């Protein structure tokens, strides 16, 4: 619940409600990016950025190396697959 | 991947362990007991066991596993309230996976589902909102729980429901805050803690300053840390260094993720939606007056407690306690090790958890079980 999974923003879906398509471990899902958008990082500049996704919300920016490290850690801890499977089941429902 | 290799570099780990071993006796000083360091977060407990970090540490340091697992501190009465809501014929009850298996006094949500209730596991509170949009004739309730890591997501979901004017969506709010929980631990007379490893992703939301009282009022050093093995080793080294040098500060090992001021947008959403709850019952920690939050009156229409007249038991002070033979409370408070509980690894195991600490991989009983720490000798 608390670790979060890194994902890469591939597309801005809704500018008004700050929804972006994020590739999380191969699953693409809509994610709310409100918490990672500010004057320095406007929504339109977010495509390509790596973010830490908790429960469908991007909570922090990551650089690519940090993202790779976190993905490796989660894979080792065995915590990631259940969430990815759940995301597949639930689908992109935002 | 070069950086990652460096981050997992065994030589660096070895050097850090050696430094910790060198400093630990100085840090321990004349104390009779080993230095007792609490890792608040269940994610850290998981890493400590997975990578054998606890067994690398010198006898001068003892890790005390904290209550930082949201489902583990959930009292049975709150699960009973979830079941009571889910049993309403019009309700679709939605929740994170971990919460499904937490036992209540009558049953878990998973058992309620098996008994015919419409209980659905979701990945995000926004999934619950989508279910509400698709089912306007049903009441959709999301079980909002967790420390500050998950609070912005539920707050933002509620604000989205409010913007859309949805009438059939509500949150059953069971969020709790980390600093107030730490204060309760620090005032527990049974615990003799010397310092803290603070949770990385909670701190990503709240920043570093909410911990200032730990060093200022209680004189306990604290280091915010990440989840990599080297994160934790480095944080432990920073902590023993503070003891050895006679310092007492809040330090941030996880600065690559944790900004000093936290996440501005996340904190704004939390402040907009939630206010401190007068009474909050925690499993193992009892009533912590200012640790829980509730939904502000402005958003009462989205508060499942008000919508369903709950929690009846909680309002009357009739909390569902754990059965006496389960020692979850003592394990949660760090005064008992899991293998000292008579039910541990016997009647209580991950396949059939009797207590919440065995449910989530972040619970200390589940971690001890998974890594074979079934008795003191092993």
């Amino acid at each position: 619940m608390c670790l979060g999974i890194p994902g890469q923003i591939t597309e801005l879906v809704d500018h008004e409600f700050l929804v972006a398509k994020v590739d999380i471990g191969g699953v693409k899902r809509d994610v709310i990016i409100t918490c990672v958008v500010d004057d320095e990082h406007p929504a339109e500049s977010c495509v390509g950025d790596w973010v830490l996704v908790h429960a469908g919300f991007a909570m922090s920016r990551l650089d690519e190396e940090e993202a790779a490290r976190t993905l490796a850690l989660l894979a080792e801890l065995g915590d990631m697959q259940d969430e990815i499977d759940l995301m597949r089941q639930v689908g992109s429902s935002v | 991947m070069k950086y990652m290799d460096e981050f997992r570099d065994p030589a660096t780990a070895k050097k850090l362990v050696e430094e910790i071993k060198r400093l630990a006796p100085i840090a321990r000083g004349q104390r009779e007991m080993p230095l007792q360091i609490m890792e608040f977060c269940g994610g850290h407990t998981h890493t400590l066991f997975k990578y054998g970090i606890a067994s690398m540490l010198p006898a001068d340091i003892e890790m005390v596993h904290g209550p930082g697992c949201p489902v583990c501190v959930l009292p049975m009465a709150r699960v009973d309230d979830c079941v009571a809501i889910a049993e309403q014929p019009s309700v679709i009850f939605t929740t994170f996976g971990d919460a499904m298996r937490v036992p209540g006094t009558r049953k878990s949500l998973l058992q309620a589902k098996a008994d015919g209730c419409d209980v659905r596991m979701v990945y995000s509170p926004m999934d619950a909102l989508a279910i509400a949009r698709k089912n306007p004739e049903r009441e959709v309730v999301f079980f909002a729980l967790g420390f500050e890591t998950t609070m912005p997501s539920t707050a933002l979901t509620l604000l989205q429901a409010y913007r859309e004017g949805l009438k059939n969506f509500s949150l059953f709010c069971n969020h709790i805050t980390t600093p107030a929980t730490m204060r309760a631990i620090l005032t527990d007379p049974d615990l003799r803690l010397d310092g803290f490893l603070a949770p990385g992703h909670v701190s990503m939301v709240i920043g570093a300053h909410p911990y200032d009282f730990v060093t200022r009022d209680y004189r306990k050093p604290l280091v915010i840390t990440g989840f990599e093995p080297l994160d934790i080793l480095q944080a432990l080294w920073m902590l023993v260094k503070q003891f050895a040098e006679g310092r007492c500060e809040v330090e941030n090992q996880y600065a690559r993720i944790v900004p000093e001021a936290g996440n501005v947008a996340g904190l704004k959403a939390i402040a907009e939606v939630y206010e401190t709850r007068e009474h909050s019952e925690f499993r193992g920690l009892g009533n912590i007056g200012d640790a829980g939050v509730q939904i502000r009156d402005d958003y009462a229409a989205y508060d499942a407690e008000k919508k369903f007249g709950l929690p009846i038991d909680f309002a009357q002070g009739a909390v569902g306690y754990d059965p006496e033979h389960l020692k979850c409370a003592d394990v949660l408070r760090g005064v008992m090790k899991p293998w000292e509980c008579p039910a541990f690894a016997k009647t209580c195991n991950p396949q059939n958890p009797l207590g919440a600490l065995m449910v989530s991989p972040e619970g200390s009983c589940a971690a001890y079980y998974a890594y074979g720490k079934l008795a003191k000798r092993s």
Side-chain angles (χ1 to χ4, degrees), chain B residues 270-336:
Chain B
I270 289 172
E272 173 67 25
V273 169
Y274 300 116
E275 63 185 3
T276 302
R277 194 189 279 275
E278 201 176 331
H279 300 290
S280 290
E281 190 71 23
F282 283 53
R283 188 185 282 242
L285 298 170
N287 181 20
I288 306 179
D290 56 352
V293 296
Q294 60 193 6
I295 295 167
R296 288 186 186 278
D297 279 345
D298 292 352
Y299 302 104
Y302 299 91
D303 186 345
E305 290 189 29
K306 294 202 168 78
K307 221 171 200 177
F308 295 93
L310 288 166
I312 297 162
D313 289 346
F314 185 73
Q316 293 173 348
V319 173
Y321 289 106
D322 298 328
E324 263 188 32
H325 69 286
L326 297 180
K327 302 298 179 192
C328 309
D330 289 338
V331 175
L332 250 173
R333 288 159 58 235
V335 298
M336 183 183 268

Side-chain angles (χ1 to χ4, degrees), chain B residues 365-377:
Chain B
C365 290
Y368 270 69
Y369 188 96
Y371 298 109
K373 308 282 183 193
L374 303 182
K376 189 176 185 181
R377 246 178 247 164

Side-chain angles (χ1 to χ4, degrees), chain A residues 35-81:
Chain A
C35 291
V36 295
V37 169
D38 53 31
D39 292 344
E40 218 177 299
H41 304 97
E44 54 273 15
S45 73
C46 287
V47 173
D49 289 354
W50 284 86
V51 287
L52 194 62
V53 180
H54 284 258
F57 287 74
M59 293 305 303
S60 176
R61 286 169 182 285
L62 304 170
D63 62 38
E64 196 170 348
E65 285 160 341
E66 176 69 31
R69 210 162 55 221
T70 307
L71 285 168
L73 175 78
L74 289 171
E76 277 184 39
L77 288 174
D79 281 350
M80 194 165 63
Q81 200 52 49

